[in-house]
Structure formats: C-alpha cells, structure tokens
C-alpha cells in the first residue's frame, strides 16, 4: 500500500500499467490514527520496465546523431549542387550561342563541349549515389545534359560543307593573327648562319593544349621536320605521354590539322621498339628517338622501317634538371643531325655528337663545359649548342653556347619568358627559325632572333 503523499512519485510507475489491468477494488480510502486521510492502491504488476526505458533512451540518442549526420550531408550536397547548377547554366549559355551561330566555331569547340557534358553527367551521378535517393531534380539535370548533347551533335552536322570551308579560313586567319602578334624585330633569314648566333627570343606563343586534351600528358613534345621532303614542308609530329615511355607518334599534314587533331598517320611502336625519355627529332622524313639508355632509334616514315645504333659511353646517371630520363637528346639544324648526352668519362658534362644520316653512326663529337644536370634543356642552331637553365618560375635563360665549327665556348645571358616553370621538350627548327617547346602539356613556340 502507498500513502497519498507518495502518489505523485509512483505516477510514472502507474503510467506503465495498462488500464484494463485496473479494477475498482484496487483503490480504497480510510482515516489513519492521527486523523489523516489515507489512499490505498493495489497495483496488479509492480515491476517497473527499466530495461525498456534505457533501450528507448539509447535508440533516441542514436537517432539524433544520425539525423545530424544526414543534415550535414544535405547541407554539403546542397552547396555542391549550387556550384554544379551554376556551371551547367554557363554551359547552357555556350550551347545557346553555338546554336545561334554554328558557322563561327570549329570542330574543337564541339569536342570540348562534349567533354564538359560528360564531366557534368559523372558529377550528377556521383551526387545521386551519395544521397542514395531519387529526386525530380536529378532527373531534370540528366534530361538537360542529354538534350544539350543532342544539340551539340546536331550543330556539328549542320551544313558540313559550309562549316568545313569556314573552319579552314578561320584556321588560316588564326595563323596570320598569330604571326602578326609576334615581335616585328624577329624577321627570319632562313638558312643564313653567317652571324654570331642567337641574340634574343620573342614572347612565347602558346598554341593550345595537346592532342589528347589532357594536362596529364607532361612527357613528350611536338616538332617539324628540320629537313623535310618535298610536299611535307608543313608536316608536324606530336608524341606525348603520362610517363617517361614513348609508345606512339601522330603525324599532321599542316598547322590546321594539328589544331584540329586530325592526324594522317599514327605510329604505334611495336614490342621491342618502345622508347623512353622526353625527346625526339624529325629529319628527312624520319623520326629519331631514344629506346634505352644507350640506343638511338630511327623510324623511316616513308618505308615504315626501324633501325637503331648504340652509344655505349652514354650514361643513364645524367639527365636535364626538368626531366628524369632524357639521356639522349636529338636535334636537327641547318648543319645536320645531332645527339647530346653525358658520360661517366665527361663527369656529367654534355657531349655534342654529329650523326651521319646515311650510316646512322657518330661522325664527330665535342666536349662542352656545361653540366647536364644543371641545365633545363639544350638545342642546336647553326651548328651551335645552346644550354638553358631556370632563372625563376616564369623566366628561363640561355646561359651557354658551344660553336662546333670553331670549338669556341661562350657564357650568355639571354632571358625569355616561359608559360610554366618546367618543360620537357625544346627543339629548334631551321625551316622557320622557331624554337618549339612542350610546356606542361601545351604547344609553345618562340621566334628566334639571330645577329
């Protein structure tokens, strides 16, 4: 029995007792010895479910924590979704412009749009999987992306003949504008090597990202034939890789084809002929590249034949400061075909070797006074080897020259700006007196000024 003073304390207990278990005879009242009023309660089940209460409390805490986690996720996804929607809105505007004026754009514009649309589709898929829900908003985004892809495909097929003519004219105009933008002091005197050498470079002409449209292709380069066959004077060769291995080369008939990534020939190097390093040279319709530490390789583009020669003294311990595996560095200029390397005997200093193009052997060689590992790169022009090094993040310097005709060495200080800090390829071409650089995945060129 419980007194009325304790009734409030037991009320939580009574609340757990089902109503149907109560009977009218279970509650009685009486007067105590001191005249106080007493209330007597007979509970049918006095056992308090403490374990159930504890379980409910734990479940409640877990649910609160889970709700907080999900709320934080929603906040994060909402922020991401706003960013994606903004980017998608901007892309929609670009597609609308393309749709209104399709004849003002080239094939590359359509390909870039497709790539961005694929990226948006992947982002929306990732977001949907993260939320693990189905929403009309996601369905709407998918529909809009698919519609935009269809529009891009339709625009590219619109009036193809007219678009092709406009594309060619646009590329020609772009080339003329690029030439006009160069410093007017750089007027080439093709084939003339009577001066005292290089005295300056123009500002860098950043053409575009590589043919793979990926900044991950850091190793490799692009070049023109330094002694082209008739009909191939405008040919370009490109080969770039995500590692220091050379797997293939792409050949383009002219500048327009290079910009549009429309190659006329693609070489997949067969087993046993895969190259290494970040350098190659094109001369006489042949591509020269490094197969191993010691081997010079040659692909004859006309006959599709392969050949190699070993330079036994070349050492794999010495490479340029910007490249880890550029042991043999090929170059072609007004005076012939060259290869530069370092050996243990030269103590890491660059050796310049003249290659006999007919026998594919070493004709002559010269020792230089410049350490290869301290040089960013090197190239040949008019029989003179020039070495470069970094001044700061945006400036490079031609600091050394060796004239193979006289054996004279010079210390120079010819500064020129660079697009990115490090580059993997630097090659001079005598047919247009330009310096070709492959800088962080981008085609870059310089006009060379001679004295």
């Amino acid at each position: 029995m419980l007194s009325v003073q304790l009734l409030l304390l037991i009320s939580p207990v009574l609340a757990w007792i089902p109503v149907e278990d109560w009977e009218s005879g279970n509650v009685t009242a009486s007067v105590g010895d001191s005249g106080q009023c007493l209330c007597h309660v007979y509970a049918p089940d006095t056992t308090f479910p403490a374990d159930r209460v504890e379980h409910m409390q734990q479940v409640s805490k877990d649910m609160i924590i889970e709700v907080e986690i999900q709320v934080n996720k929603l906040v994060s996804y909402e922020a991401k979704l706003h960013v994606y929607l903004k980017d998608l809105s901007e892309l929609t505007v670009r597609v609308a412009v393309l749709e209104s004026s399709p004849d003002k754009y080239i094939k590359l514009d359509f390909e870039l749009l497709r790539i961005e649309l694929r990226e948006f589709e992947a982002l929306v898929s990732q977001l949907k999987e993260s939320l693990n829900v189905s929403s009309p908003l996601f369905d709407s985004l998918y529909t809009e992306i698919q519609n935009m892809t269809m529009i891009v495909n339709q625009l590219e097929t619109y009036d193809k003949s007219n678009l092709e003519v406009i594309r060619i004219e646009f590329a020609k105009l772009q080339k003329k504008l690029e030439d006009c933008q160069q410093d007017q002091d750089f007027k080439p005197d093709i084939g003339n090597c009577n001066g005292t050498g290089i005295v300056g470079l123009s500002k860098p002409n950043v053409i575009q990202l590589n043919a793979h449209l990926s900044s991950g292709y850091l190793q490799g380069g692009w070049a023109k034939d330094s002694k082209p066959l008739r009909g191939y004077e405008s040919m370009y060769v490109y080969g770039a890789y995500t590692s220091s291995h050379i797997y293939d080369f792409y050949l383009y008939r002219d500048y327009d084809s290079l910009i549009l990534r429309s190659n006329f020939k693609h070489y997949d190097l067969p087993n046993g002929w895969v190259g290494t390093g970040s350098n190659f040279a094109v001369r006489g319709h042949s591509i020269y590249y490094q197969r191993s530490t010691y081997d010079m390789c040659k692909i004859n583009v006309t006959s599709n034949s392969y050949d190699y020669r070993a330079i036994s003294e070349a050492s794999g311990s010495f490479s340029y400061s910007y490249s880890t595996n550029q042991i043999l560095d090929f170059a072609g200029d007004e005076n012939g075909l060259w290869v530069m390397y370092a050996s243990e005997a030269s103590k890491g200093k660059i050796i310049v070797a003249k290659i006999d193009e007919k026998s594919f052997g070493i004709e002559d060689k010269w020792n230089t006074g410049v350490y290869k590992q301290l040089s960013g790169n090197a190239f040949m022009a008019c029989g003179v080897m020039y070495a470069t090094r970094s001044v700061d993040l945006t400036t490079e310097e031609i600091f050394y020259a060796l004239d193979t005709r006289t054996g004279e060495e010079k210390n120079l200080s010819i500064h020129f700006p660079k697009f990115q800090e490090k580059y993997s390829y630097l090659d001079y071409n005598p047919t247009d007196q330009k310096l070709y650089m492959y800088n962080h995945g981008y085609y870059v060129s310089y006009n060379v000024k001679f004295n």
Side-chain angles (χ1 to χ4, degrees), residues 322 374-376 387-391 395-399 412 423:
Y322 296 150
L374 298 181
S375 303
T388 67
R389 65 184 175 189
S390 176
V391 176
T395 308
E396 195 78 358
E397 177 188 44
I398 299 176
F399 74 98
L412 305 175
Y423 54 91

Side-chain angles (χ1 to χ4, degrees), residues 36-48:
Q36 72 273 28
C37 181
L38 299 176
C39 182
H40 307 279
V41 177
Y42 295 91
D45 184 4
T46 58
T47 303
F48 181 71

Side-chain angles (χ1 to χ4, degrees), residues 64-215:
I64 291 173
I65 294 174
E66 183 64 26
V67 168
E68 289 178 352
I69 293 174
Q70 296 301 326
V71 168
N72 290 334
K73 280 186 179 180
L74 287 172
V75 172
S76 173
Y77 293 144
E78 183 180 8
K80 289 183 179 180
L81 191 57
H82 280 302
V83 174
Y84 298 154
L85 287 173
K86 181 181 177 182
D87 292 342
L88 189 58
S89 176
E90 294 174 355
L91 190 59
T92 305
V93 174
R94 289 175 56 191
V95 173
V97 174
L98 261 178
E99 189 174 14
S100 63
S101 305
D103 58 345
K104 295 182 180 179
Y105 292 83
I106 62 176
K107 185 177 180 180
L108 182 61
D109 294 304
F110 296 109
E111 187 61 31
L112 291 174
L113 280 172
R114 286 195 188 93
I115 292 173
E116 292 188 43
L117 285 169
R118 287 196 294 268
E119 291 176 353
F120 277 119
E121 187 174 357
L123 289 171
V124 172
S125 299
Q126 181 183 6
L127 189 61
K128 186 175 181 180
E129 291 174 0
S130 300
L131 286 173
N132 196 24
V133 295
S134 179
S135 168
L137 179 59
F138 291 121
D139 297 335
S140 175
L141 283 174
Y142 269 117
T143 302
E144 186 169 355
I145 290 173
Q146 292 171 357
N147 290 339
M148 290 172 66
T149 303
M150 292 176 60
I151 292 173
V152 170
N153 292 335
Q154 291 172 357
L155 287 174
E156 190 176 16
T157 59
Y158 172 79
D159 196 3
K160 273 194 171 182
S161 59
N162 185 46
L163 185 62
E164 183 69 14
V165 174
I166 294 174
R167 176 193 64 75
I168 294 174
E169 293 302 319
F170 177 80
K172 290 180 180 178
L173 178 60
Q174 184 182 30
K175 182 66 168 62
K176 290 179 180 179
L177 288 174
E178 289 167 355
D179 293 339
C180 289
Q181 289 172 351
Q182 297 297 326
D183 192 334
Q184 294 302 310
D185 291 336
F186 293 87
K187 297 178 180 179
D189 187 8
I190 306 300
N192 186 356
C193 288
N194 297 326
T196 58
I198 295 175
V199 294
L201 301 181
S202 70
K203 294 180 179 179
N205 182 22
V206 182
I207 310 299
Q208 68 174 35
L209 191 61
N210 58 68
H212 290 91
L213 297 179
S214 172
S215 58

Side-chain angles (χ1 to χ4, degrees), residues 407-432:
E408 180 185 3
E409 295 179 278
K410 289 183 180 179
N411 292 319
L412 305 175
S413 184
I414 302 174
H415 288 197
F416 61 96
K418 52 187 175 181
F419 178 60
Q420 296 282 349
E421 179 187 3
K422 296 181 179 180
Y423 54 91
S424 61
Y425 184 91
L426 194 65
D427 189 46
Y428 168 79
N429 189 277
T431 66
D432 54 14

Side-chain angles (χ1 to χ4, degrees), residues 298-311:
K298 173 184 178 181
I299 305 175
N300 189 305
V301 177
T302 304
S303 62
N304 293 328
S305 60
Y306 292 78
D307 196 3
Y308 81 98
R309 295 289 187 276
I311 303 180

